Amino acid sequence: MNTQPPTGHPPTRTEPHLRGTRDKPLVSEDELPHFRAEPRKLSPSPKRPLHLGKSWRILILLVLLLLSAGSWVYTHPQYLARLFPNTRLNRLLNQGTQALAAGHLGGNGHKGALDDYRAVLIMDPDNEVARTGLTKVGQAELKQAGLDLTAGHLEQASVALNSARNLLGATPELNQVQSAIRAQRAKQLKLAELVDRASQALADGHLNGPNGAAALYNKILAVDPDNAVAQHGLHQVGSAIATLALTALSQKNTPQATTYIDQLTALLPNNAQLPELRAQLVSLQQQNQIQHTQSLQQAHQLLTHGHITHPPGGNALEIYRAVLQQDPGNNAAQAGLAQVATALIVQAQANLETGHLRTAKDLLTEVQALTPHSARLAATQAQLEQRLARRYQIKLTPAQRVRIRHLLQRAQRATRQGHYLLPPGASAYDLYRQVLVLDGHNTTALGKLAALPEQVAKQTTTALDAGKLKHAGNLLSTLTQLVPTDSRLTPLRNHLTQAWLQRATHAFNQGQIRLAHLALNQARKLRPDDPQVRALSLRLQNSTVTQ
């Protein structure tokens, strides 16, 4: 059978080729377009873009998960602490546990469990282990208080009880131990006898002092705060002091009235009579201030006209002394006395020059009563002694010369140690004076004596800069005695007053009212009329009344 096609060329295959097919489509026998098979080339398929809405949903979900996890950590820190333990915190907890087991409770200056647990609570205020530990420390202190009470160690029992109260509060067990301590103290003090002594002291008018009614009643109340007899007695003491203050005010005795009012404030800060007493005191101080100003002006005029100590009843010295009797801290009157002393020394020196030694000696005796430690007085007295020695042809013996050398060595050593006026007889001032009694023209003694005020002034400034206010006050008093008219006194006194006021204000702001009163009293002694002293005094009074 012939299978060949009858006519034409045999059929041939054409490889498909797509180029130009749009213009001239190829047609095969089966009416399909021809194409040419080419090897495939693998190429990366383009990434399909992530749908934007879906990505935002994932991101929001992650943020919510993180916020939830953070909130859980914040509200459950104890679980996180278990997963990630704090090395220092755990070490403190272990130390506290070991110290508590060993009986080392801590507190009152001793290291122990109390300090460790408190340190933990500073780092983690809600740490249950530390809180429980502090409770155990308080219970241990309470137990120790009971043991001390049984042993008769009442002071130690009170210390332990106070520590327990700070940790546990007022529990029934603690109150029971407190009552037992008070009962033991009452037995030791013999309260009935103490009450009788206090009542007798009150009847005798013995109000103040260690054996006065106020001190005895306070001693009773320290043991038995609810003792009605002692409470009533203390208010009677307050009334008696208030009466004394009123009497002093009616007599225009400002210093005495101030003393009584201060005593009443310290004893009974809320006494109902205090506001009226203070108001009367302020009024009296204002009246005295006006009167003192007039008196001081009169004294200055008398001094200028030479009426220093004469005539009686009309001289500067009498007026200055009268002002100081009413107001011992009056700086103007003290300066006036110093001017009187200086004027008398000038008169004495003039009499020395003219040979009137007896008159000079009498004048220097008056100065000795006014300013006994004046350096200028000492030098003038030495001149007088030298003139007397020349008159009687007194010469130094070898033994006296040796003694002078020894006295000068001691005086220089006393100066280095800061013993300028004290102790009497062994101070630098007294030792130089002894040298000048033997040798009135001893240049070493005269020069060192004249240099003492400068050294004291420098030491005063150093003490002020270092905040040693009491020491500065003592040095200022020394300088005042050495040179009553020294120009450095006023600025140094003002500086010290401001320092005491700053200390009083700081104590007041810290709620330390007692310390504030003490500091204010020091400032008041220096500058009683200073407006800042009055202002702070009023603030303290108001705070005391409102307590």
Side-chain angles (χ1 to χ4, degrees):
M1 181 174 183
N2 190 7
T3 61
Q4 298 292 330
T7 61
H9 296 284
T12 59
R13 175 179 174 83
T14 303
E15 293 297 326
H17 186 63
L18 300 180
R19 295 176 184 172
T21 56
R22 291 183 179 179
D23 299 331
K24 250 178 176 181
L26 297 176
V27 180
S28 64
E29 292 179 350
D30 53 3
E31 297 182 353
L32 293 175
H34 290 275
F35 67 92
R36 184 187 305 169
E38 294 180 354
R40 294 185 178 181
K41 295 181 180 180
L42 298 177
S43 60
S45 59
K47 291 185 178 180
R48 191 176 181 183
L50 185 64
H51 197 276
L52 187 60
K54 184 176 181 181
S55 63
W56 274 108
R57 285 196 297 270
I58 295 173
L59 181 60
I60 292 172
L61 181 60
L62 289 174
V63 171
L64 290 175
L65 287 173
L66 288 174
L67 289 175
S68 299
S71 300
W72 184 86
V73 168
Y74 181 79
T75 55
H76 300 80
Q78 64 274 20
Y79 296 106
L80 188 64
R82 293 174 184 173
L83 293 174
F84 305 100
N86 187 317
T87 305
R88 182 168 181 269
L89 186 146
N90 290 334
R91 184 174 68 251
L92 288 171
L93 288 174
N94 291 333
Q95 287 179 188
T97 302
Q98 294 173 6
L100 180 60
H104 301 151
L105 304 181
N108 300 313
H110 301 287
K111 181 71 176 175
L114 180 64
D115 307 282
D116 295 325
Y117 288 136
R118 282 178 172 171
V120 170
L121 290 176
I122 292 175
M123 294 185 290
D124 181 8
D126 298 322
N127 191 286
E128 291 297 330
V129 176
R131 289 181 176 277
T132 303
L134 285 181
T135 301
K136 291 181 179 179
V137 171
Q139 292 170 347
E141 290 282 11
L142 182 59
K143 181 179 179 182
Q144 184 61 46
L147 294 174
D148 290 334
L149 175 62
T150 303
H153 303 150
L154 299 186
E155 291 301 324
Q156 297 178 16
S158 296
V159 171
L161 191 67
N162 288 334
S163 299
R165 183 183 291 106
N166 292 334
L167 296 171
L168 303 176
T171 65
E173 296 83 358
L174 190 145
N175 293 336
Q176 184 177 359
V177 175
Q178 178 69 68
S179 299
I181 292 175
R182 288 176 179 173
Q184 287 290 339
R185 280 183 169 168
K187 290 180 181 179
Q188 291 182 358
L189 288 175
K190 300 178 181 179
L191 279 188
E193 180 182 339
L194 203 58
V195 169
D196 291 340
R197 286 175 55 196
S199 301
Q200 187 61 47
L202 177 61
D204 295 340
H206 187 190
L207 306 179
N208 297 301
N211 294 316
L216 295 175
Y217 282 130
N218 275 324
K219 189 177 292 187
I220 296 169
L221 292 172
V223 176
D224 185 7
D226 300 324
N227 191 293
V229 175
Q231 290 176 348
H232 179 67
L234 200 61
H235 281 88
Q236 286 183 307
V237 173
S239 298
I241 295 176
T243 301
L244 292 173
L246 286 170
T247 302
L249 288 169
S250 64
Q251 297 172 351
K252 300 188 182 301
N253 190 337
T254 306
Q256 196 66 56
T258 302
T259 300
Y260 287 135
I261 292 174
D262 288 343
Q263 290 176 356
L264 183 57
T265 301
L267 184 67
L268 297 169
N270 298 322
N271 185 278
Q273 294 176 276
L274 274 174
E276 178 61 25
L277 289 172
R278 288 176 179 139
Q280 292 188 35
L281 178 61
V282 170
S283 176
L284 179 59
Q285 288 172 337
Q286 292 173 348
Q287 295 174 16
N288 288 341
Q289 181 62 33
I290 296 173
Q291 182 181 353
H292 291 164
T293 301
Q294 295 173 350
S295 298
L296 291 171
Q297 290 174 351
Q298 181 185 1
H300 180 71
Q301 292 176 355
L302 291 171
L303 184 63
T304 303
H305 290 87
H307 302 304
I308 303 173
T309 57
H310 293 89
N315 61 76
L317 178 60
E318 290 183 359
I319 294 177
Y320 286 133
R321 282 177 168 167
V323 171
L324 287 173
Q325 186 175 3
Q326 294 181 352
D327 184 7
N330 191 291
N331 294 323
Q334 290 175 347
L337 277 186
Q339 291 176 344
V340 169
T342 300
L344 292 175
I345 290 176
V346 171
Q347 290 184 1
Q349 289 173 336
N351 280 276
L352 282 176
E353 295 298 327
T354 58
H356 298 100
L357 303 186
R358 183 177 296 278
T359 303
K361 186 176 182 179
D362 292 341
L363 289 169
L364 293 179
T365 301
E366 291 188 59
V367 177
Q368 182 76 29
L370 296 175
T371 56
H373 296 103
S374 167
R376 189 173 181 181
L377 168 65
T380 308
Q381 286 176 327
Q383 293 177 19
L384 174 62
E385 297 294 336
Q386 190 66 25
R387 293 293 180 92
L388 291 172
R390 286 180 182 177
R391 173 173 292 184
Y392 297 107
Q393 297 182 350
I394 300 174
K395 295 183 179 180
L396 293 174
T397 65
Q400 288 176 326
R401 296 182 187 278
V402 172
R403 176 166 172 74
I404 286 174
R405 287 198 298 270
H406 179 63
L407 288 172
L408 288 174
Q409 292 172 356
R410 289 180 59 196
Q412 291 169 1
R413 184 165 56 250
T415 301
R416 289 194 299 269
Q417 295 173 348
H419 300 157
Y420 301 109
L421 293 179
L422 296 174
S427 66
Y429 177 87
D430 288 337
L431 292 169
Y432 285 131
R433 282 285 311 277
Q434 292 178 43
V435 172
L436 293 174
V437 168
L438 296 173
D439 180 8
H441 286 284
N442 188 286
T443 55
T444 301
L446 288 170
K448 296 291 186 181
L449 192 61
L452 280 182
E454 179 67 26
Q455 291 178 290
V456 175
K458 289 182 178 179
Q459 289 293 320
T460 305
T461 302
T462 301
L464 282 169
D465 293 340
K468 299 177 180 178
L469 304 189
K470 288 185 178 180
H471 184 48
N474 293 333
L475 289 169
L476 183 61
S477 175
T478 299
L479 181 60
T480 304
Q481 295 178 69
L482 287 173
V483 190
T485 57
D486 195 295
S487 60
R488 293 165 293 197
L489 287 173
T490 298
L492 285 173
R493 186 177 290 110
N494 292 340
H495 189 176
L496 183 57
T497 302
Q498 290 301 315
W500 279 117
L501 281 172
Q502 289 176 6
R503 184 166 294 183
T505 302
H506 177 73
F508 175 78
N509 293 336
Q510 297 294 321
Q512 299 172 336
I513 304 302
R514 179 177 173 276
L515 294 179
H517 272 292
L518 293 175
L520 180 61
N521 287 337
Q522 294 294 331
R524 186 183 290 114
K525 290 178 183 177
L526 294 165
R527 296 289 301 274
D529 299 325
D530 190 290
Q532 295 183 41
V533 171
R534 292 179 177 176
L536 183 57
S537 178
L538 183 60
R539 290 177 63 191
L540 281 171
Q541 292 172 8
N542 292 337
S543 68
T544 303
V545 170
T546 57
Q547 283 180 349

